[in-house]
Amino acid sequence: MENIYVIGDIHGCYKTLLALIDKLPNKEKSKICFVGDLVNRGPNSYEVVKLIISNNYDCVFGNNEQMFLKYAPMLVNDRKNPALAKWLFTNGGEQTIKSYDNEEEFYRQLKFLKTLPLYKEYKDYKTKNGRYLVVSHSNVGKMWNLRHSEKQEDKDAFENQVLWSRHKTFDNKEIFNIHGHTIFDNPIINEYSAAIDLGCYQTKEKLANPSLCALEFPSMRLIIQESLEQ
């Protein structure tokens, strides 16, 4: 079975993404899954999402997709909402909106982002000790056992965990969880999880070496591309 490459938070860093994919053994034909946060902050969210749609790559839903879907419609019907201003000018929404010059494509991509799952399970991809791969935006933590619950409070708790939590990871025994969301200087890998957000969109004034990371699974080989966006 071919390896799968799990790629960290992109945040509209299209040039860096292309350079990273070019380093993969099968380049754009590689099997790829993204950990979400495709949009906001970086300069070209539109091209990032377009690339993923065009190549039918796997991807999970991130908290920045959630913000995009929530606040972008306010540009049409609720421009005075203070939450809109925070998204635009604090969370990188302005850069996202500027990357679109086609209204039809804008709404097509919003529709696509709504279809993204909270997590992806790859039961055929396993570590040497038999843990199968789970990809999520933030770590699934202690909420993993709630993923099939029909109770609304459990659904909300699970969603909040995988989109927003910065709590410590948790050993769920049967899975190996690759995720992003929290920026580190280097990937953090242990026997049951890997955190691979290296802050691609950041400036070097804020982060020594902003980069985009792909983790080859199950070999655990790291492929890292320094940001080309600055």
Side-chain angles (χ1 to χ4, degrees):
M1 180 180 293
E2 64 179 326
N3 288 303
I4 184 170
Y5 297 87
V6 184
I7 295 180
D9 306 41
I10 304 166
H11 287 290
C13 295
Y14 181 61
K15 290 191 293 185
T16 308
L17 175 59
L18 291 183
L20 177 65
I21 290 176
D22 195 54
K23 291 182 175 181
L24 303 183
N26 294 319
K27 302 189 183 303
E28 72 278 358
K29 294 182 180 179
S30 300
K31 184 171 181 58
I32 295 173
C33 183
F34 294 89
V35 303
D37 276 14
L38 309 175
V39 302
N40 293 346
R41 303 186 186 279
N44 211 332
S45 295
Y46 160 68
E47 290 290 356
V48 169
V49 178
K50 181 181 177 182
L51 180 75
I52 290 168
I53 294 173
S54 298
N55 288 279
N56 199 29
Y57 291 136
D58 288 349
C59 185
V60 299
F61 195 62
N63 66 300
N64 276 274
E65 282 72 55
Q66 185 183 58
M67 286 190 285
F68 187 22
L69 292 174
K70 180 177 180 179
Y71 297 121
M74 292 181 184
L75 291 165
V76 176
N77 55 33
D78 196 11
R79 276 186 171 268
K80 294 183 179 180
N81 192 314
L84 174 61
K86 182 178 180 181
W87 173 65
L88 285 171
F89 306 120
T90 302
N91 295 316
E94 183 180 29
Q95 293 93 314
T96 299
I97 295 302
K98 284 182 177 179
S99 72
Y100 289 88
D101 60 7
N102 182 300
E103 185 175 359
E104 182 179 347
E105 187 65 15
F106 174 78
Y107 285 107
R108 176 172 176 256
Q109 290 197 2
L110 285 180
K111 185 176 180 180
F112 165 74
L113 295 176
K114 289 178 182 179
T115 70
L116 296 179
L118 288 174
Y119 64 94
K120 290 281 292 185
E121 294 180 279
Y122 296 93
K123 293 190 175 181
D124 292 333
Y125 288 86
K126 295 182 179 180
T127 62
K128 291 179 180 179
N129 59 358
R131 294 174 180 268
Y132 72 87
L133 174 62
V134 171
V135 179
S136 54
H137 178 57
S138 185
N139 70 78
V140 299
K142 294 182 179 180
M143 299 296 178
W144 181 239
N145 64 327
L146 299 181
R147 65 194 184 280
H148 297 312
S149 176
E150 292 301 318
K151 294 181 180 179
Q152 190 59 49
E153 62 188 83
D154 290 344
K155 291 180 179 180
D156 292 344
F158 181 72
E159 179 178 289
N160 186 68
Q161 171 70 37
V162 298
L163 293 184
W164 294 95
S165 177
R166 301 194 191 276
H167 294 166
K168 292 181 179 179
T169 56
F170 179 77
D171 186 354
N172 286 290
K173 305 302 180 184
E174 80 274 18
I175 70 170
F176 188 91
N177 183 202
I178 302 180
H179 61 90
H181 187 55
T182 300
I183 296 173
F184 294 101
D185 291 329
N186 297 288
I188 306 296
I189 303 175
N190 58 36
E191 67 181 43
Y192 55 85
S193 69
I196 61 170
D197 182 4
L198 304 185
C200 183
Y201 72 91
Q202 292 279 15
T203 64
K204 289 195 173 183
E205 288 73 26
K206 293 187 176 181
L207 191 67
N209 189 31
S211 303
L212 186 61
C213 175
L215 179 59
E216 183 182 83
F217 191 87
S219 73
M220 301 299 180
R221 181 166 74 101
L222 290 166
I223 301 148
I224 296 175
Q225 172 61 52
E226 185 175 351
S227 177
L228 301 175
E229 312 301 323
Q230 307 307 321

